[in-house]
Amino acid sequence: MLRKSDDYVSPGKDYFALNLKFLFLVGLWPNDRWSKTQATAYSIYQKTLHVLPIIYLIITIIGTYQHAGVLEKFLENLDKNVVALNFTIKYMLFTIKHKEISMLITEIMHSGDKISKQCNRLMSVHVVAITGLTFLVVGAFSGAALLNREMVVEAWLPFDPTKNMKNLLLFAQIAAITFTPCTIRGNAMQGFVCSLIMYLCEQLIELQHRLRALTYLPGNDDELKYQFKEIIKKHVRIMRYSKSMKSIFKEYLFVQNFAITVELCLNAVMITVIRFEDKKLLVGFFAFLCMALLNAYIYCYLGNELMSQSEGIALAAYDASWTSWPIGLQKDLLTVIRTAQKPLSLSAGGIANLSMHTFGQALYNAYSIFAVLNDVVD
């Protein structure tokens, strides 16, 4: 049954507002209608936030190299470097693709499509929850390190952070200022990409409802043809949006997928090497791994949902009361069914489609790596 009109919100007014505001605050969504002064000020802010994570990577990579002789420290630092590098590369790709993304969003906003309020609430909760959880995990381990008078991450600095508490607090501030921008940018981009996928799924569900609701009565040929034509036009438009998203975010999703693989490998190596002897170190590894797996799961789940809902168009078309339709419309419906049997999908660099199968395969590969390393060590 179709939802009532007041159960929907317009993407142009409300649905993308939170994500676009988040992207604006983290320097990833400038306004094309600004004055020259406003644009210049935002550009300076944007470039500052570009540079800070790069500074973090430089000082921590040097720190990682300095501790290459201590395997546990080296792996711990490398794990945190992978997290920062993942976010940094993704926001660079996002910035490069900004014009294409902006054009896609503008078209969607002016499409007249509706989003259910339930979906709108779910998107908002997702953005807030993931951001809050990320800061909770990072803050908890950073606070624990300070209480133990330890460095959160090994880094090169022109002073010795472990000399006294004042130096340690100064280092913590430098680490927070340089690492925070890439973290919040990562959360902002994830919320934005996921909201786009949720939008596509919602429109496909609405098309399924409309297809099942099509009814032929003697004398309403023109009305049926009009409704069916509008459904086809929207389906073609949604397929075009999906194709654009696949092209825009394929490198972004490849980096996401590759980072998860590296995280899983590092954790397998760590467990194999220290054998649960250093529980504090393992807890840190598992915490960051769980965050990475949660992010990967969200992407894969939504990618799987996109494939499922696009295939659902074929089933919905077959469920329609097509047996009483004119022959011409039946042939057109058959074309819709054949087209919908090739599901819409998002690709991680053209290597793998985002789906629950991909997520499960990543976990299986991680276990295989751990099993092989465990046998070698034994």
Side-chain angles (χ1 to χ4, degrees), residues 145-151 157-175:
L146 285 175
L147 288 174
N148 294 325
R149 294 181 176 269
E150 299 173 350
M151 295 176 67
L157 289 168
F159 58 89
D160 183 7
T162 59
K163 184 178 180 180
N164 52 51
M165 194 62 184
K166 182 180 178 180
N167 284 7
L168 189 60
L169 288 173
L170 179 59
F171 161 73
Q173 291 174 12
I174 293 172

Side-chain angles (χ1 to χ4, degrees), residues 1 5 72 76 82 171 184 235 253 257 279 290 296 336 344:
M1 185 175 66
S5 60
E72 292 82 356
E76 183 183 15
V82 167
F171 161 73
I184 57 176
H235 188 211
L253 294 172
N257 201 47
K279 293 183 173 58
C290 288
V336 172
L344 305 180

Side-chain angles (χ1 to χ4, degrees), residues 123-313:
M123 180 275 298
S124 302
V125 169
H126 162 253
V127 174
V128 174
I130 289 296
T131 303
L133 186 59
T134 301
F135 277 100
L136 180 64
V137 171
V138 174
F141 283 96
S142 300
L146 285 175
L147 288 174
N148 294 325
R149 294 181 176 269
E150 299 173 350
M151 295 176 67
V152 180
V153 58
E154 298 296 335
W156 173 86
L157 289 168
F159 58 89
D160 183 7
T162 59
K163 184 178 180 180
N164 52 51
M165 194 62 184
K166 182 180 178 180
N167 284 7
L168 189 60
L169 288 173
L170 179 59
F171 161 73
Q173 291 174 12
I174 293 172
I177 291 171
T178 54
F179 180 72
T180 302
C182 67
T183 305
I184 57 176
R185 282 182 161 194
N187 292 327
M189 289 184 297
Q190 178 180 337
F192 178 76
V193 175
C194 290
S195 68
L196 278 171
I197 303 173
M198 291 165 67
Y199 157 78
L200 292 180
C201 292
E202 187 77 2
Q203 300 312 306
L204 290 168
I205 292 172
E206 192 248 348
L207 285 175
Q208 292 174 34
H209 289 315
R210 288 171 64 180
L211 277 169
R212 290 190 172 97
L214 288 176
T215 304
Y216 173 75
L217 295 173
N220 79 333
D221 297 49
D222 292 340
E223 178 65 22
L224 180 63
K225 288 179 182 178
Y226 174 77
Q227 292 180 11
F228 188 61
K229 180 181 177 181
E230 291 299 307
I231 290 172
I232 291 177
K233 285 168 63 178
K234 181 167 183 175
H235 188 211
V236 171
R237 179 162 53 83
I238 296 302
M239 288 192 293
R240 178 163 51 82
Y241 291 164
S242 176
K243 186 177 179 181
S244 296
M245 283 184 59
K246 192 171 186 176
S247 174
I248 291 170
F249 294 111
K250 62 182 180 181
E251 295 90 358
Y252 173 97
L253 294 172
F254 171 77
V255 172
Q256 168 69 28
N257 201 47
F258 183 72
I260 289 298
T261 304
V262 174
E263 283 270 344
L264 291 169
C265 290
L266 285 173
N267 276 265
V269 173
M270 178 59 76
I271 295 172
T272 305
V273 170
I274 69 174
R275 301 276 185 173
F276 296 97
E277 293 172 5
D278 191 340
K279 293 183 173 58
K280 184 177 70 173
L281 188 59
L282 280 179
V283 168
F285 255 85
F286 277 124
F288 283 99
L289 176 63
C290 288
M291 284 299 303
L293 286 176
L294 176 61
N295 291 332
Y297 175 82
I298 291 170
Y299 281 118
C300 289
Y301 173 80
L302 290 175
N304 197 83
E305 187 69 9
L306 177 62
M307 295 173 66
S308 177
Q309 296 302 338
S310 61
E311 289 178 323
I313 295 291

